[in-house]
Amino acid sequence: MQAMWLDFQRDTIAEAARPAKHYTDPAKLIGLVESWYRQMPLAHPETQKRLWGDGLALWETVLGQYGIGPKTTDAQPGDEPRLPRSDRRFADARWREQPFFALIHQAYLMFAEQAEAMAEGIEGLEPAKQEQLRFLTRAILDALSPANFTLTNPVALDRAIETKGESLVKGLEHLLADLGRGQLTHTDPDAFKLGENIAVTPGKVVHEAKLYQLIQYTPTTENVLATPLVIFPPWINRFYILDLNPAKSFVRWAVAQGITVFMVSWKSADETFADVVWDDYIHAQIEAIDVVRTRLDVPSAHAIGYCVAGTTLAATLAVLARRGEADKVKSATFFTAQVDFEEPGDLKHFIDDQQIEAIAHLAPDGYLDGRYMAATFNLLRGNDLIWSYVTKNYLMGEDYPAFDLLHWNGDVTNLPAKWHCAYLRDLYRDNRLVVADSLSADGTPIDLRQIATPSFIQAGREDHIAPPESVWKLTHYLKGPWTFLLAGSGHIAGVVNPEGSKKYGYWTNAKPGETLDEFVAGAEEHAGSWWPHWLGWLRGQDAAEVKATGKRNPGGRGDKVIEDAPGRYVMER
């Protein structure tokens, strides 16, 4: 282990003169904790007295379970200790077998409970600042868990003894590899290769621009819907979340239902994207729709926008409506997309003037390293996406699993810094998208109330990135007909819920009411995937079909294409 550490130091000595990454700079991390400590009443005499008293009582209660000190229970020798607090991180019996580990994890849970109550009870803070304090408190407490340190984790210690130290060596290998790449590894990095065992639905790249490639998928049915479908995935991630593997692929399923499917594959930003703003992405959506219409000689296309691309699709529809070109889009489907950012979920904790300014400093070359965004999203579910993997990868030295969803989650994309800062400022902070004509794109004012396009709105019941309460608000701004569907699970699994999985259900309501609560109160629950329900809605917009010939089958005779799917852009880092 010492030799590995020395090798790592030699390999990174060239980096020593450069400033540390923001998320690994010890000075910034210490400053963050100090700022938190100053806001918390931990140094107050009353608080310390209460913590001391509660700690002594806990000490007696826990040790009494093991026959140490005053007897505090009527348990008999050999009985399972009955501890006052429980948490799934400490579910293994080894946390209760010895009084030391029982006491240390019980003391941690007691302190965490009281610290969260302190953060909740602090008065005089603005609501947004109070929410930030609560979030920071949870993040710091998650990091301090005794499960995250070898010497205080009995499971990790047993593993080290069983493997004669090999688990510690492998864990250090994993840690040094992650430090070198600047990102936590969730899955075997060599398990998946694009176009071979992930993103494998056959198709061709039929158009290419600076911001995106346009993929058209090969039909598998004799007839297809006359109106094609173009999908806009979020450029914060790679498009193949909708094409992970044949069993989970929304793309493959849609093609099998007789839909001509086009997918936009966004390019990861580099220094040439320094001046890219939201207008450019709106223009790209309009351009992609026009390319599809021209290529197939059809008057309109269906469109899907996922997450930030759904927010952008709403702006695109408003621009087209203002220009008198709304008929270019036959229908719009929104996957977990927000337009009203008054209550946008946990991401709000990362958005204020200071943090927006910090993002600008993190992008001296005009683009934001995708690893920052990955770290941000991981923090939203710190125990699940950070600390559980610290335990498995570093403390236990476990081999990485081959998991396609986690592979996609770690396949980050860089973002144009100017766009990202403006997006956070104008939408998340100032909520300007819902203010008529407050924003414009390419010289056209944006008013969501001009949108008359039939719309299908999907939200995830447990979505922490785009909460269903926030997604629902889109219904308040649409002039045309809309259908709302509440899916089980969250931001990803709520969307990627294929027919065969039978994991999550969904809710519909023919009389949805004015609020999400009213929708839920009268909703009908359905088992299984919501995809067939959406397909029925889509066919209801236009059921006409045509033969899957000519340019409906990309790359055929006389059809000049650029390359095979999934294309080059998705492979660029």
Side-chain angles (χ1 to χ4, degrees):
M1 291 173 71
Q2 183 185 36
M4 289 165 54
W5 180 252
L6 291 174
D7 288 343
F8 174 76
Q9 287 183 313
R10 280 194 295 269
D11 291 342
T12 58
I13 196 168
E15 301 286 331
R18 302 178 187 176
K21 296 285 187 183
H22 187 273
Y23 50 81
T24 58
D25 186 344
K28 288 185 170 62
L29 295 176
I30 291 171
L32 188 66
V33 174
E34 287 179 345
S35 173
W36 171 78
Y37 183 81
R38 286 194 299 269
Q39 294 182 74
M40 298 287 284
L42 291 169
H44 294 184
E46 300 83 1
T47 301
Q48 294 193 352
K49 182 179 179 181
R50 184 179 68 255
L51 287 172
W52 179 256
D54 290 349
L56 285 176
L58 178 72
W59 183 286
E60 290 184 356
T61 299
V62 172
L63 294 183
Q65 296 281 329
Y66 299 87
I68 303 172
K71 188 173 182 180
T72 59
T73 176
D74 57 1
Q76 301 301 312
D79 288 353
E80 175 81 9
R82 296 195 297 270
L83 302 178
R85 293 171 177 84
S86 63
D87 186 283
R88 62 188 175 91
R89 289 169 289 179
F90 311 109
D92 193 287
R94 283 168 284 190
W95 285 100
R96 299 180 295 281
E97 288 174 354
Q98 296 184 36
F100 172 77
F101 295 113
L103 185 61
I104 199 168
H105 90 263
Q106 287 293 304
Y108 162 76
L109 291 174
M110 183 202 76
F111 175 74
E113 185 180 282
Q114 297 204 10
E116 288 189 332
M118 290 179 207
E120 188 74 32
I122 291 177
E123 299 178 352
L125 290 178
E126 297 176 6
K129 292 295 183 184
Q130 182 118 34
E131 283 296 323
Q132 285 185 343
L133 179 61
R134 292 192 195 107
F135 180 83
L136 181 57
T137 299
R138 288 194 299 271
I140 291 175
L141 292 172
D142 289 347
L144 293 176
S145 167
N148 301 336
F149 304 94
T150 303
L151 293 179
T152 55
N153 186 326
V155 184
L157 287 173
D158 277 1
R159 172 79 170 166
I161 294 169
E162 291 167 4
T163 63
K164 297 181 172 60
E166 183 183 356
S167 62
L168 299 179
V169 175
K170 289 184 67 175
L172 183 60
E173 286 179 344
H174 291 160
L175 172 61
L176 297 182
D178 285 355
L179 288 174
R181 67 193 291 261
Q183 187 179 358
L184 178 67
T185 299
H186 291 98
T187 187
D188 183 353
D190 300 319
F192 299 98
K193 189 169 182 180
L194 288 165
E196 293 186 8
N197 59 358
I198 197 166
V200 295
T201 302
K204 304 290 184 182
V205 175
V206 298
H207 178 75
E208 182 174 306
K210 176 182 176 180
L211 263 62
Y212 70 96
Q213 287 187 316
L214 185 64
I215 301 167
Q216 181 182 354
Y217 291 97
T218 304
T220 57
T221 56
E222 183 178 349
N223 295 323
V224 293
L225 287 178
T227 303
L229 170 68
V230 56
I231 302 175
F232 299 107
W235 50 90
I236 291 174
N237 299 103
R238 307 286 180 176
F239 78 83
Y240 62 86
I241 184 58
L242 296 175
D243 191 26
L244 285 173
N245 64 48
K248 299 177 184 175
S249 174
F250 177 82
V251 169
R252 182 179 289 262
W253 174 84
V255 170
Q257 309 312 307
I259 302 174
T260 302
V261 178
F262 290 81
M263 174 72 75
V264 166
S265 173
W266 300 106
K267 184 179 176 67
S268 183
D270 56 25
E271 59 275 3
T272 66
F273 280 53
D275 293 322
V276 169
V277 292
W278 202 29
D279 299 45
D280 297 296
Y281 284 98
I282 293 172
H283 176 78
Q285 288 194 344
I286 295 173
E287 181 183 77
I289 291 167
D290 284 341
V291 168
V292 170
R293 293 172 55 249
T294 301
R295 175 174 170 80
L296 300 184
D297 191 22
V298 293
S300 60
H302 300 295
I304 292 177
Y306 192 166
C307 189
V308 62
T311 305
T312 304
L313 178 60
T316 295
L317 294 174
V319 168
L320 290 174
R322 184 63 65 90
R323 293 176 178 176
E325 299 175 345
D327 56 356
K328 289 183 177 181
V329 180
K330 174 70 73 172
S331 77
T333 297
F334 299 91
F335 290 170
T336 66
Q338 303 175 87
V339 297
D340 187 326
F341 290 83
E342 183 180 2
E343 299 173 310
D346 288 345
L347 279 175
K348 186 77 170 179
H349 305 318
F350 296 89
I351 294 146
D352 58 23
D353 292 339
Q354 182 180 358
Q355 295 183 68
I356 293 173
E357 184 180 349
I359 290 172
H361 291 305
L362 293 174
D365 297 320
Y367 66 93
L368 182 68
D369 191 318
R371 290 172 294 185
Y372 291 116
M373 285 301 296
T376 298
F377 283 112
N378 287 343
L379 274 172
L380 297 181
R381 293 173 56 201
N383 280 331
D384 292 333
L385 294 177
I386 298 178
W387 301 114
S388 65
Y389 288 94
V390 166
T391 301
K392 294 174 186 175
N393 299 352
Y394 305 157
L395 275 60
M396 306 290 287
E398 294 181 2
D399 292 330
Y400 293 121
F403 190 6
D404 50 13
L405 179 59
L406 290 177
H407 176 85
W408 167 84
N409 187 62
D411 191 1
V412 301
T413 56
N414 302 328
L415 303 176
K418 184 179 287 188
W419 163 79
H420 190 56
C421 290
Y423 185 80
L424 295 180
R425 183 174 55 249
D426 291 342
L427 275 65
Y428 271 91
R429 190 193 69 182
D430 298 339
N431 203 19
R432 294 177 60 190
L433 183 57
V434 295
V435 179
D437 298 344
S438 177
L439 297 174
S440 63
D442 198 23
T444 302
I446 297 171
D447 181 3
L448 300 181
R449 295 163 184 81
Q450 299 293 316
I451 300 173
T453 305
S455 298
F456 187 100
I457 304 164
Q458 177 270 343
R461 189 177 188 180
E462 293 145 28
D463 195 334
H464 59 285
I465 295 173
E469 296 83 1
S470 184
V471 173
W472 169 268
K473 292 179 181 179
L474 174 57
T475 66
H476 298 165
Y477 302 100
L478 300 177
K479 184 167 67 174
W482 53 266
T483 296
F484 185 89
L485 180 143
L486 185 63
S489 196
H491 200 69
I492 303 301
V495 173
V496 184
N497 184 23
E499 288 185 274
S501 70
K502 298 182 180 178
K503 241 180 144 179
Y504 307 107
Y506 63 97
W507 291 262
T508 61
N509 191 335
K511 298 179 180 180
E514 295 295 322
T515 67
L516 181 63
D517 288 340
E518 291 178 12
F519 173 91
V520 171
E524 178 182 359
E525 184 174 1
H526 308 267
S529 173
W530 58 269
W531 293 358
H533 184 87
W534 168 81
L535 178 65
W537 176 87
L538 191 77
R539 286 185 172 276
Q541 309 308 310
D542 184 1
E545 294 187 353
V546 296
K547 292 288 186 183
T549 56
K551 289 191 175 181
R552 295 278 179 166
N553 192 352
R557 179 177 296 179
D559 184 22
K560 187 176 180 180
V561 298
I562 297 171
E563 59 192 0
D564 289 339
R568 301 187 324 281
Y569 280 13
V570 72
M571 299 184 185
E572 295 177 356
R573 300 292 175 264

